[in-house]
Amino acid sequence: MPSTDPPAALGDAPALAARRLADLSERVPRSGSADAARDALDVFAPATAERIGSVPACEASDVDAAVARAREAQAEWAETPASERATVIDRFGDLVVDRREELLDLLQAETGKSRRTAVEELFDVPTGCGYLANEAPGVLADERRSGVAPGVTTATVTYDPVGVVGVISPWNYPLTLSMADALPALAAGNAVVLKPDEKTPYGALALGELLEVAGLPDDLFQVVTGEGATVGPALVDAVDYVAFTGSTETGRVVAERAGRNLIDCSLELGGNNPLVVLDDADVDEAARGAVQACFSNAGQLCLSAERIYVEEPVYDAFLDAFVRETERLTLGTGYDYDAAVGSLIDAAQLDRVQSHVDDARERGATALTGGRARPDVAPYCYEPTVLVDVEPDATLACEETFGPVAAVTSVSDADAAVAAANDSPYGLNASVWTGGRDRGVEVAREIDCGTVNVNDAFLATWGAADAPMGGFGDSGLGRRHGPEGIRRYVESRTIGVSRVGPLGFPDRIPTDWFVRGAFAALSLGRRASRGVRRVKRRFRRR
Ligand code: NAD
């Protein structure tokens, strides 16, 4: 059974004081009409359920004022060379590393996650900064494309920032999921107004402060705190692009509103992610990977695996190893590295996890380990849980649980595993375990998810800052990371230049001659490019 740590109060956080939280809350911009004393939103530490501070409950007028200021600041930022913008982001990455102890304390205080998980999250921020510093200027540089015909015209594509980007982020990874969307927007020359989840506002405010120290001009990055239903729609109405991370349900509301405003959006939404163990896998390695896939951040990770499909010949061996590894996990919320798994975010999340497990059990499932809340560790702690015999129509099998619960099912072969993995409206992330890497890649190509990890839980794809990440189906629209994650924030402009004056029917040649000549040139051009294609294919085959 998992061991326990005593619950940690804010006072245990070595680099954090309540006064500091109050200072951060002062950073939220308010318009003149707002009554700061009346409109405060309390923030609680999940580790103790104690109130640790409050932040302003902004209203639509606050959002409008913040966006107006951001718009003004953005005009000059757009003119700043991309390499200088990248330097500011690089410097910010260094500051995050320097100030990591305080940021880790803050992150743990407002999420209740274990320090190990907090480190994994924080690590991601400077990694992303490094990628943007190296690559963003190149991704944003003008590009020459093929013109109408060689020597006749040129075509050049330029990339301009869209203006002000609204970022709406969730509570589960409040630092990395705010920055993964905000930093590429800033690198592309935009301003950002960020709305963090009401449960976790402090991390984003602290990072805003560091962006300022790194040299980001005033008002280019602002954090507006408050209720999602008030601040979210106001933000979508005021900005030029919205990057949303959260539930599929809210994502649909955001997409509808963005559509009405004719602005573009990216939506990083929920998942009910599969993990597949093939019969040639090293079951011990697969079991360790499954523990990471299912129980990181107490399962409150959009990329978490919740459904495990194992080929029949290795089912028993995998299940034994998986239960054994799960039982080695330690539960706790201390500000040290003792615990592997921390708290759930709040009572509602605990209820959700508990009700999904209860529903599965009522339909015949068995918990081989876990399956109960641990209020003795912290008010919202839940044991890492391994279930078998989960009915395919159980809530747990169909919906996202977003907690430390995994359902393990035996399947006849790899095709059945792929069919089961794809039997979901979601398509965010998957993991495949095999002794043959080529076989793993083959199976990965069949799985309908935006990211598929072979012999890894999720870091092989999430950690690849140069590669796009996002969801199929109900898991979202658009991609973050890589060039795709930068280019979503720009308007492309194609500039075509003619070297021969106006194109079209010339005055001095009879029209029927010209038409015949034009089609002859077209056929010649098509034959020539087919020839080039054939030669290229032959070279590629060698
Ligand atoms: P949520 O949709 O309730 O909240 C997310 C954000 O949206 C919060 O900041 C919230 O205040 C805001 N919001 C609420 N109502 C809004 C509205 N009407 N308009 C605009 N914004 C509004 O999400 P949640 O349930 O708190 O977060 C967990 C969910 O997020 C899970 O489903 C998880 O899978 C998903 N998630 C996805 C990713 C990803 O990258 N795909 C990452 C993390 C979390």
Side-chain angles (χ1 to χ4, degrees):
M1 234 352 74
S3 69
T4 62
D5 272 347
L10 181 60
D12 298 339
L16 201 63
R19 179 65 231 151
R20 175 81 176 112
L21 300 186
D23 287 346
L24 286 174
S25 151
E26 290 291 313
R27 296 186 59 79
V28 178
R30 308 293 321 259
S31 65
S33 63
D35 175 350
R38 184 170 49 85
D39 304 327
L41 215 59
D42 286 336
V43 182
F44 297 87
T48 59
E50 285 166 359
R51 178 185 171 281
I52 54 172
S54 68
V55 290
C58 290
E59 289 159 12
S61 58
D62 300 311
V63 174
D64 290 345
V67 172
R69 279 194 305 276
R71 208 172 278 296
E72 223 167 280
Q74 189 265 337
E76 205 179 322
W77 183 241
E79 297 302 319
T80 306
S83 56
E84 278 179 42
R85 299 195 300 248
T87 304
V88 172
I89 288 169
D90 205 24
R91 224 179 285 136
F92 166 72
D94 289 342
L95 289 169
V96 170
V97 174
D98 292 348
R99 298 281 285 274
R100 62 185 177 276
E101 289 305 318
E102 188 199 57
L103 289 167
L104 288 170
D105 285 357
L106 203 55
L107 186 55
Q108 280 195 279
E110 65 181 3
T111 62
K113 61 179 66 189
S114 71
R115 200 163 189 87
R116 296 187 207 178
T117 313
V119 167
E120 280 172 11
E121 172 169 358
L122 189 72
F123 211 82
D124 191 65
V125 178
T127 307
C129 292
Y131 173 75
L132 290 170
N134 291 338
E135 302 299 331
V139 170
L140 296 162
D142 292 357
E143 267 185 307
R144 280 296 282 271
R145 301 277 181 96
S146 304
V148 174
V152 178
T153 63
T154 61
T156 305
V157 183
T158 67
Y159 297 105
D160 288 346
V162 291
V164 181
V165 170
V167 174
I168 301 178
S169 60
W171 47 261
N172 60 331
Y173 281 76
L175 300 186
T176 188
L177 293 177
S178 295
M179 290 301 117
D181 287 337
L183 294 177
L186 292 170
N190 300 283
V192 169
V193 177
L194 171 86
K195 188 225 133 359
D197 191 276
E198 34 281 61
K199 293 185 270 293
T200 53
Y202 291 119
L205 288 164
L207 293 181
E209 190 181 60
L210 290 189
L211 277 166
E212 212 175 284
V213 178
L216 194 75
D218 287 351
D219 297 329
L220 260 183
F221 177 86
Q222 297 172 66
V223 176
V224 284
T225 52
E227 297 286 356
T230 307
V231 176
L235 193 59
V236 179
D237 284 351
V239 296
D240 307 302
Y241 184 102
V242 77
F244 173 84
T245 307
S247 63
T248 298
E249 197 186 348
T250 313
R252 287 188 204 282
V253 174
V254 168
E256 267 179 34
R257 206 162 181 115
R260 269 206 303 278
N261 295 340
L262 280 183
I263 61 166
D264 208 352
C265 63
S266 52
L267 305 170
E268 302 287 342
L269 309 178
N272 184 2
N273 305 304
L275 183 149
V276 169
V277 184
L278 298 177
D279 60 3
D280 58 355
D282 173 333
V283 286
D284 290 322
E285 198 176 278
R288 282 198 305 278
V291 162
Q292 189 190 12
C294 300
F295 305 127
S296 286
N297 205 33
Q300 302 167 117
L301 165 65
C302 55
L303 307 172
S304 269
E306 300 191 346
R307 302 177 288 140
I308 300 183
Y309 302 107
V310 190
E311 274 198 88
E312 201 274 329
V314 290
Y315 178 75
D316 288 337
F318 170 80
L319 200 56
D320 283 351
F322 184 39
V323 170
R324 191 177 61 241
E325 290 295 328
T326 302
E327 290 186 335
R328 289 182 53 211
L329 292 171
T330 47
L331 267 178
T333 54
Y335 290 85
D336 51 32
Y337 293 99
D338 287 353
V341 179
S343 172
L344 297 175
I345 190 77
D346 60 10
Q349 194 60 26
L350 178 61
D351 280 353
R352 181 184 173 91
V353 171
Q354 187 81 65
S355 72
H356 282 201
V357 173
D358 289 349
D359 168 77
R361 276 172 158 161
E362 278 158 26
R363 293 162 189 255
T366 305
L368 298 184
T369 185
R372 63 190 176 119
R374 290 294 298 271
D376 54 314
V377 180
Y380 315 130
C381 261
Y382 196 87
E383 279 183 352
T385 300
V386 178
L387 294 173
V388 291
D389 300 327
V390 174
E391 286 290 315
D393 61 348
T395 317
L396 188 109
C398 311
E399 289 179 21
E400 181 183 44
T401 301
F402 221 50
V405 183
V408 190
T409 305
S410 168
V411 289
S412 53
D413 56 26
D415 288 344
V418 169
N422 287 341
D423 186 17
S424 167
Y426 295 109
L428 191 59
N429 182 56
S431 171
V432 178
W433 294 83
T434 172
R437 280 198 291 273
D438 290 346
R439 188 178 177 213
V441 172
E442 230 170 82
V443 169
R445 287 183 195 281
E446 300 298 314
I447 295 183
D448 299 334
C449 285
T451 46
V452 186
N453 300 268
V454 176
N455 291 340
D456 189 47
F458 50 80
L459 286 173
T461 51
W462 172 267
D466 192 28
M469 195 261 139
F472 287 20
D474 285 1
S475 290
L477 289 178
R479 296 290 184 265
R480 60 159 59 109
H481 286 177
E484 292 85 347
I486 301 171
R487 290 245 175 98
R488 66 185 151 151
Y489 296 126
V490 293
E491 290 283 14
S492 69
R493 179 192 295 106
T494 299
I495 301 174
V497 177
S498 169
R499 293 194 165 120
V500 295
L503 304 177
F505 290 102
D507 290 341
R508 279 190 237 123
I509 306 173
T511 305
D512 56 338
W513 286 23
F514 174 74
V515 170
R516 239 176 287 143
F519 275 106
L522 177 71
S523 300
L524 202 67
R526 286 169 54 74
R527 267 206 299 277
S529 62
R530 254 196 303 269
V532 171
R533 260 194 325 263
R534 236 177 273 129
V535 172
K536 274 189 185 161
R537 241 179 264 140
R538 207 164 297 149
F539 269 106
R540 238 178 273 140
R541 252 180 256 135
R542 281 184 195 160

